Amino acid sequence: MSKYYICFAFVVFLFASCFSVKEKPKAYTVEIKNMKFVPDDITVKQGDTIIWVNHDMMAHDVTEEGSKQWTSSIIPSGGSWKMGVTAAANYYCSIHVVMKGKIRLQ
Ligand SMILES: [Cu+2]
C-alpha cells in the first residue's frame, strides 16, 4: 500500500467520524410542571431519547394515547423516565387525562 492510499484512507476515516458524530442520537427533556408537559409538542429523530422529569408536587405518568402501546407507569414527584423514540405518538397522563403531549418524527 502506498503512502497515498494510507493518507486517503485516513481522510475517509476522518470524514466518516464527523458524519457519525452528527448523526448521534440526541436526548431531549420534557419537564412535567403545573399539570403540563413542557414542551407539550416535541420533534425528534427516530432513535433519540426523551426524558420526562416530574417537577410537580404530585405523581404523573406518560402513556401512549391511541392504544396504550407504552407507558412509563407512575413517575413520582422528583422522578424521571426515559424512552427511546421509535414512532410518532400522542401521549397523555392517565392519572390526569387533560395532560397531553405529542411526539413528532423529523
Ligand atoms: Cu398527571
Side-chain angles (χ1 to χ4, degrees):
M1 197 187 269
S2 73
K3 277 181 185 172
Y4 174 79
Y5 276 114
I6 292 168
C7 190
F8 179 73
F10 184 66
V11 167
V12 166
F13 171 76
L14 272 186
F15 180 78
S17 328
C18 283
F19 195 76
S20 64
V21 165
K22 268 184 194 167
E23 291 299 303
K24 225 177 188 177
K26 287 182 186 168
Y28 295 87
T29 301
V30 173
E31 295 185 15
I32 304 172
K33 52 186 180 185
N34 302 319
M35 302 279 292
K36 279 178 183 149
F37 296 108
V38 183
D40 63 356
D41 191 327
I42 194 165
T43 303
V44 304
K45 284 184 179 164
Q46 206 168 40
D48 285 345
T49 299
I50 301 178
I51 303 159
W52 284 266
V53 183
N54 185 0
H55 292 298
D56 246 344
M57 297 302 288
M58 66 199 86
H60 294 289
D61 72 18
V62 183
T63 301
E64 196 272 325
E65 197 175 27
S67 48
K68 299 192 176 177
Q69 282 178 319
W70 46 263
T71 180
S72 65
S73 299
I74 290 171
I75 306 171
S77 174
S80 66
W81 180 70
K82 65 180 175 180
M83 179 185 76
V85 177
T86 55
N90 292 322
Y91 66 87
Y92 73 137
C93 171
S94 72
I95 306 164
H96 315 98
V97 294
V98 292
M99 296 173 60
K100 287 172 190 281
K102 187 184 277 276
I103 302 168
R104 298 176 201 262
L105 284 189
Q106 208 168 49

